[in-house]
Amino acid sequence: MTVLINNKDLNFMLYQLFNAEELTQYSRYNEHDKNTFNSILETSYKIASEYFAPHNAKADHHEPTFDGQKVTTIPEVKEAWKHFSQAGLLCATQSYENGGMQLPVLINMASNALFMSANPASVAYPFLTSAAANVIDAFASDENKQTFLPHMLSGRFAGTMALTEPDVGSSLGDLKTRAIPQPDGTYLIKGQKMFISGGDQDITENIIHLVLARIQNAPQGVKGISLFIVPKFKTNQDGSIAETNDVQLAGLLHKMGYRGTTSTVLSFGENDQCQGFLIGEAGSGLKYMFKMMNEARVGVGLGAAMIGYRGYLESLEYAKNRPQGRLPSEKDPNSKPVNIIQHSDVKRMLLAQKAYVEGALALCLFAARLIDEHQAGSNQDSEILLDLITPIVKSFPSAYGPKANDLAIQVLGGAGYTREYPVEQCYRDNRLNPIHEGTFGIQSLDLLGRKLWQHNGKGLALLMQRFQKTLDETTVPEAKELAQIFSQHLATAQKTTKILGNAIFEAKVDQALANAALYLDMMGKVVISWLWLEMLNKAYLNFEQSQHQDDQNFLAGKLHAARYFIRWELPEIEHQAKLLTEFDNTCFNMQADYF
Amino acid sequence: MTVLINNKDLNFMLYQLFNAEELTQYSRYNEHDKNTFNSILETSYKIASEYFAPHNAKADHHEPTFDGQKVTTIPEVKEAWKHFSQAGLLCATQSYENGGMQLPVLINMASNALFMSANPASVAYPFLTSAAANVIDAFASDENKQTFLPHMLSGRFAGTMALTEPDVGSSLGDLKTRAIPQPDGTYLIKGQKMFISGGDQDITENIIHLVLARIQNAPQGVKGISLFIVPKFKTNQDGSIAETNDVQLAGLLHKMGYRGTTSTVLSFGENDQCQGFLIGEAGSGLKYMFKMMNEARVGVGLGAAMIGYRGYLESLEYAKNRPQGRLPSEKDPNSKPVNIIQHSDVKRMLLAQKAYVEGALALCLFAARLIDEHQAGSNQDSEILLDLITPIVKSFPSAYGPKANDLAIQVLGGAGYTREYPVEQCYRDNRLNPIHEGTFGIQSLDLLGRKLWQHNGKGLALLMQRFQKTLDETTVPEAKELAQIFSQHLATAQKTTKILGNAIFEAKVDQALANAALYLDMMGKVVISWLWLEMLNKAYLNFEQSQHQDDQNFLAGKLHAARYFIRWELPEIEHQAKLLTEFDNTCFNMQADYF
């Protein structure tokens, strides 16, 4: 059976690092305890390994096809969907009233992590459905909720988010899909959408698209955008399916990875028969969609972390069992070859993977805990902090997860480059993550151009408080040594932020944002270093006195990974800070004609 | 027609940067001049774009198949082979006596670059054949030469190098294939080889494998290894084909990229009928093979550079023509979107690609010029310098070419992730290059553990002389500013080398080599920075006074790319040097049980 995660580490993160049991103090979660959490995670592990992992490679080799009439996916995808929805996982975080389990987002995130490791492409269908259901639950009219929501949560209908258009890409304000008001209060939808994941499939009876469109005569830009429910098939109030709703599949896109998830070009209203239902208020579409998008962004981060994690586990297993070569000091050709995990450079490649993927997973779980604190605990500070770090939660795993997969291939060498081993698929799958739900560049503008300065900079102040708390609690000498390095580079990051902020407010915004991608990478390294320090403190607290060898090994592993990240990677921000604070204009001044 | 290279830049590199015309002073090349060079390059460009580029994607989609009896490749591969060999390119560098053109390696490398850009997988067959022919020409007996060489050079037979075995990988000293001496002076070959590129195909009448094997009772380790000619079909002295030589295709490997090139598992002598011919002396196999391997390593560097280059050109074209978004300071949603090449972060991604791929190509051409100086000019210093930098020539392009392809995908965004665009194939193809012909880790041990200290460190001294010459010749203020940054980091690299050298000679070899991969990356950045400075000097010399706008743009492009590499990338070596000189033991001390 495929190993999906280091369970000891997941337990450590949930119960020691993020104190999941504390969440049961919120009234929303007070019927839960550690037993119910663990029982849901066990169910998830079982379904993920029995129904998702086994066809991960097969769905990649046999990607969905479209014969002009109908999309066909391999039958295992539908079977997996069935087990996922029957276990109640589509509505795990929904209220009891909606038939859900009121599961904390933190535990749900851990459950999602298992599926992302097992089969990121097949689980995209249920994850998109849950996210779309959340938007409908939060903002749609009661009538629309009644029509669509129960069938999405039960697994009869799937959901998608339909934002991007062929000529628009990241620039949502320019989208052209139109919504023409009809006498009955519905809208006629007309336009084309592209890169819509799960936009067509043969898994569910119906597909509920959440479509961004511009109501006739709405203003240009983001303020003119509204959000609509657009089902593939018209749906009666009792949930039964009627005729087609004039949503045509124009074609499937053929991706390098994530092949098991259809990526579609959809035409809405080619025959002027496409009916849409406005969600909430006209002109607020982007605001509602961002609820789904922010959730999706954390989900992208989690996927990137877990595809990275899966590659790490595969390469670790290989390195432990593959004899080859000798240490440089061993000159006797008759000596026995060592397993490659003995080679320092292989240890480096494994340690870097461990530092990236465990750090990235911790970051996503941290975001989940903030969601719980905000949604179930009404903690506004947690919402503000979550808002600030969302670009980092999306981007750090998306940048370093693929790096981990690159290293996993390298550990396996020639074998890793073949489709006979699973790591090359991880590498291809993970390359999507720095692109969708806002590219790395878009996230960097969001962080440096917007998020930092909201609420008078309160998000950053809250983050700094968290850092300070961890520093104050660091007592073990091995951790203190790393805390000192962290403090020093943190000061650099703070100074850099201040200088860039001043420039933005002095209206040198193009120059100040020119190198924003460096800033996003820098802040990612700072936040992940903090999480490593926090993990190290908690690991000492829980395992230092343990007599069990596996506890001592676990602690030593955390120490070395923390050391690796803080000693090897974090100091790279000094040079980034230099370029940022000098407003280095090398890229800014480059001209198209010079290339 | 696919653009394969920036021809203005290639001309600049050949004639201004590396003064190709000067090579005609060597007697071997004295029938050549700039016209013959250019005419061969024009022919290469024509064949590469007409017969190689058009099926690059098709050969990837329809990879070679094996039905248990026979391998089938798409017919375009054989057609391309035919045009390549008929143009005399298989033996371009061979002597007139052997039917060749006595073309300088520098010009041949430029010709090869065009094919690597057009279709790296299909051109692997002729490149491997040329390399194998060179080994046979240099070391085989006259009788074997007569039997095989003319047919390899004419394109009737192909060649391969068969080193790796299933349980051996990088550790060649442990290989197990046996060679049993026969009364007639031939050998019976018995064993299995893996990852043999071009090991079977339906393109040529015969395949000549160069096989590393251990003669019965030979000592363990590398000293017991000999090299053999092992044809797929027995070959009569007149070149006609006889019965099969008991070389069985055990199977094809299915790679992530480079799919057009077969990667094979071969069984030699399953029926004790496999005849091999010893090349040169017994026990010297690795020495001979290294002639081919060093050539192959430069070839890998070139391939990595050119796959990177191809992605750069594709993403540049896309960025120039794709309107999307506005600059941060533009707040009017009714304003026209700009082409994405106007965005600073897109410029960064293009500039980084330019800096990597033009730098990497310059490095490979530099290596080619050293080969000419050594082989045609009998310059021993050039040989020593080439020997030193070969790990860098193999590894810098292999590390930074894939980075360039990663950025090319990012520039295209969602489109770049689909197989509807060519950059995802570049990304998959290029991932092979840090693995084959010696992984990055193996190259780093070769450089730091061996190459630096050969000939009493003369290679490094020669390299430093080249650096100093460039620094002395830097006069333009914009270049002097970069020269100063370069000097400062060069001092760091020199100091680091000295400290590591002392540790190795004090017998702390395992510790000193533990972080060798960092050292290889550091030296790659130093060498490429030097080449950028040298390019910049030559660009000022040739274009500063020009009245042509395209010359001024070319110069400005070189200036910005040099600035990018020297200001943005080179300073990263300071942190690498710190870890190296502190003998940071984070990775070294990590233990298998801690993971």
Side-chain angles (χ1 to χ4, degrees), chain A residues 6 63 165-171 174 195 220-221 252-259 312 316 320 322-330 333-334 337 341-342 344-345 347-348 350-351 354 402 406-407 409-410 413-415 417-420 424 427-432 434-435 439-441 444-445 509-510 513-515 517-518 553-554 556-558 560-561 563-564 567-569 571-572 575 579 582 584-595, chain B residues 6 63 165-171 174 195 220-222 252-259 312 316 320 322-330 333-334 337 341-342 344-345 347-348 350-351 354 402 406-407 409-410 413-415 417-420 424 427-432 434-435 439-441 444-445 509-510 513-515 517-518 553-554 556-558 560 563-564 567-569 571-572 575 579 582 584-595:
Chain A
N6 175 344
E63 65 186 331
E165 298 180 4
D167 294 327
V168 171
S170 302
S171 183
D174 291 324
F195 297 120
Q220 268 300 306
L252 293 179
L253 297 159
H254 300 91
K255 303 190 294 304
M256 172 164 65
Y258 255 98
R259 293 189 180 191
Y312 163 59
L316 179 59
K320 281 182 170 175
R322 165 83 178 178
Q324 196 181 297
R326 293 160 189 83
L327 299 187
S329 56
E330 174 62 78
N334 290 305
I341 202 167
Q342 302 298 325
S344 196
D345 195 47
K347 293 191 219 178
R348 172 185 67 83
L350 293 169
L351 200 48
K354 179 179 166 76
D406 181 59
L407 292 169
I409 291 180
Q410 197 68 16
Y417 192 66
T418 67
R419 278 127 63 203
E420 279 76 11
E424 67 85 29
Y427 182 73
R428 286 185 291 108
D429 286 349
N430 221 346
R431 186 62 189 82
L432 177 61
I435 299 172
T439 63
F440 196 89
S444 73
L445 295 176
V509 62
D510 290 338
L513 296 181
N515 301 328
L518 284 182
N553 285 343
F554 182 84
K558 287 288 179 200
H560 280 80
R563 262 193 197 144
Y564 173 80
R567 292 177 61 97
W568 283 58
E569 305 256 337
E572 290 172 357
H575 177 54
L579 292 169
E582 288 175 353
D584 185 285
N585 58 15
T586 307
C587 302
F588 187 74
N589 285 345
M590 185 68 183
Q591 300 298 316
D593 290 340
Y594 300 170
F595 281 106
Chain B
N6 175 345
E63 64 185 332
E165 297 180 4
D167 294 326
V168 173
S170 302
S171 183
D174 290 324
F195 296 121
Q220 268 299 307
V222 296
L252 294 179
L253 296 159
H254 300 91
K255 303 189 296 304
M256 171 166 65
Y258 255 98
R259 294 189 179 188
Y312 164 58
L316 179 59
K320 281 182 170 175
R322 164 84 177 177
Q324 196 181 297
R326 293 162 190 81
L327 300 188
S329 56
E330 174 62 77
N334 289 304
I341 201 166
Q342 303 297 323
S344 197
D345 195 46
K347 293 191 220 179
R348 171 185 67 83
L350 292 169
L351 200 48
K354 180 179 166 75
D406 180 59
L407 293 168
I409 290 178
Q410 198 67 15
Y417 192 65
T418 66
R419 279 128 63 203
E420 280 76 11
E424 66 85 31
Y427 182 72
R428 286 185 289 107
D429 286 349
N430 221 347
R431 186 61 190 81
L432 176 60
I435 298 172
T439 63
F440 196 88
S444 74
L445 295 176
V509 62
D510 289 337
L513 296 181
N515 301 329
L518 284 182
N553 286 342
F554 182 85
K558 287 288 179 200
H560 280 79
R563 263 193 195 144
Y564 173 80
R567 291 178 61 97
W568 283 57
E569 305 256 338
E572 291 172 356
H575 177 54
L579 292 168
E582 288 175 354
D584 185 284
N585 57 14
T586 307
C587 303
F588 187 73
N589 285 346
M590 185 69 182
Q591 300 299 316
D593 289 341
Y594 300 169
F595 282 107

Side-chain angles (χ1 to χ4, degrees), chain A residues 78-95:
Chain A
K78 189 170 184 168
E79 183 70 11
W81 167 278
K82 196 184 79 187
H83 286 276
F84 189 94
S85 56
Q86 282 177 356
L89 292 171
L90 276 171
C91 51
T93 60
Q94 288 279 337
S95 63

Side-chain angles (χ1 to χ4, degrees), chain A residues 266-278:
Chain A
L266 296 176
S267 283
F268 293 88
E270 271 189 7
N271 306 310
D272 295 329
Q273 300 288 324
C274 180
Q275 190 179 45
F277 306 95
L278 179 66

Side-chain angles (χ1 to χ4, degrees), chain A residues 66-87:
Chain A
F66 177 48
D67 62 6
Q69 300 292 321
K70 194 178 168 321
V71 169
T72 306
T73 61
I74 59 169
E76 288 88 341
V77 184
K78 189 170 184 168
E79 183 70 11
W81 167 278
K82 196 184 79 187
H83 286 276
F84 189 94
S85 56
Q86 282 177 356

Side-chain angles (χ1 to χ4, degrees), chain A residues 245-267:
Chain A
N245 190 31
D246 194 13
V247 181
Q248 313 282 343
L249 177 61
L252 293 179
L253 297 159
H254 300 91
K255 303 190 294 304
M256 172 164 65
Y258 255 98
R259 293 189 180 191
T261 314
T262 52
S263 181
T264 61
V265 182
L266 296 176
S267 283

